[in-house]
Amino acid sequence: MTYLFTPAAQASVPVRDRAESFPVRRIYCCAQNYAEHEKEMGSTPERAKPFGFLKPADAVLPVRAGEVGTMPFPPASQNLHHELELVVALGSGGYNLTPEQADACIIGWGVGLDMTCRDLQAEAKAKGRPWDSAKAFDHAAPISELVLRQPGQGVPSSGAIALDVNGTARQAGDLSDMIWTPAEIISWFSKIWEFKAGDLVFTGTPKGVAQVVSGDLLEGRVAGVGELRVRIG
């Protein structure tokens, strides 16, 4: 096949201890998956259907272990927020999956930031408009290198998830606080979209989301998964 112009480079994420990278197909994000975060966003926690949104594949900002990534501040916003999350990576997929089938698709995980232009989101909500400008802007998905799942290993379901900004604690929670497990999120979303190898799923953020400004250093970690360090440019 020939193209009118050279296609853009494939978005990808490094894999720990491997020469190969993980090619990103789509980025799915689950919203309000921790009860305390729902409360701080003005919602009432409930275990109904998971809901969420997508980010473009090239919104990823991959950061290797020991390095600090730089995320440009989006010029359209005056109120940029951090949302630290466990991210799971899929090596296979399907449509209308059971939670058990969804779990079997997960081949690894990492630490991610669902960066959000809160002012643009609030404006969109007030006018009944989509959130794309608030969630799907360039570099809106910083992510650590991925850790591959080992045979017989379960998806992380407990352990501390925390974020510091300039050395001060901001977000803190535990993976066990999730309302829906990663497999349940994928199962429900697969009734709408067909999942395939290369998909990433951001699984929601704990309480403590707050504003960041240019120059801030964000340091996130998920127990047993890894760390992510990003400076706002």
Side-chain angles (χ1 to χ4, degrees):
M1 181 180 293
T2 58
Y3 300 97
L4 288 174
F5 50 84
T6 302
Q10 169 70 53
S12 65
V13 178
V15 179
R16 184 179 298 175
D17 300 327
R18 296 287 290 269
E20 304 96 335
S21 292
F22 179 89
V24 181
R25 175 180 173 267
R26 290 179 180 171
I27 302 173
Y28 299 88
C29 302
C30 181
Q32 298 185 7
N33 195 22
Y34 289 74
E36 294 304 314
H37 174 56
E38 278 202 73
K39 292 176 183 177
E40 72 180 354
M41 295 302 293
S43 300
T44 301
E46 60 176 314
R47 185 177 166 81
K49 299 173 183 176
F51 69 101
F53 50 92
L54 278 73
K55 294 177 185 270
D58 61 0
V60 290
L61 176 63
V63 183
R64 290 188 178 275
E67 298 181 357
V68 179
T70 299
M71 178 194 161
F73 194 104
S77 177
Q78 300 297 318
N79 190 12
L80 179 66
H81 279 213
H82 56 73
E83 298 190 14
L84 185 71
E85 315 202 359
L86 170 71
V87 182
V88 295
L90 275 62
S92 60
Y95 186 70
N96 197 23
L97 301 168
T98 65
E100 293 74 22
Q101 291 170 328
D103 181 89
C105 295
I106 299 172
I107 63 166
W109 36 76
V111 183
L113 280 163
D114 166 22
M115 300 302 293
T116 303
C117 297
R118 196 69 73 197
D119 48 353
L120 302 186
Q121 184 185 40
E123 180 181 358
K125 285 182 176 181
K127 296 182 178 180
R129 295 175 178 174
W131 299 357
D132 298 60
S133 61
K135 292 284 192 177
F137 54 93
D138 287 349
H139 316 294
I143 185 171
S144 70
E145 60 186 18
L146 298 176
V147 179
L148 293 183
R149 186 177 191 173
Q150 299 303 306
Q153 185 179 18
V155 178
S157 59
S158 63
I161 174 171
L163 177 81
D164 298 342
V165 177
N166 301 326
T168 300
R170 282 277 187 88
Q171 289 189 262
D174 195 281
L175 297 179
S176 62
D177 298 332
M178 286 187 185
I179 297 171
W180 306 288
T181 67
E184 289 171 332
I185 295 167
I186 296 166
S187 175
W188 175 253
F189 283 4
S190 75
K191 301 178 189 303
I192 306 169
W193 302 284
E194 180 180 3
F195 281 85
K196 294 186 179 181
D199 289 339
L200 294 172
V201 182
F202 282 61
T203 61
T205 195
K207 66 178 180 179
V209 300
Q211 185 176 9
V212 292
V213 298
S214 294
D216 281 350
L217 176 63
L218 284 60
E219 298 177 285
R221 56 199 174 276
V222 178
V225 176
E227 299 181 347
L228 173 63
R229 302 174 71 210
V230 175
R231 187 173 297 279
I232 306 300

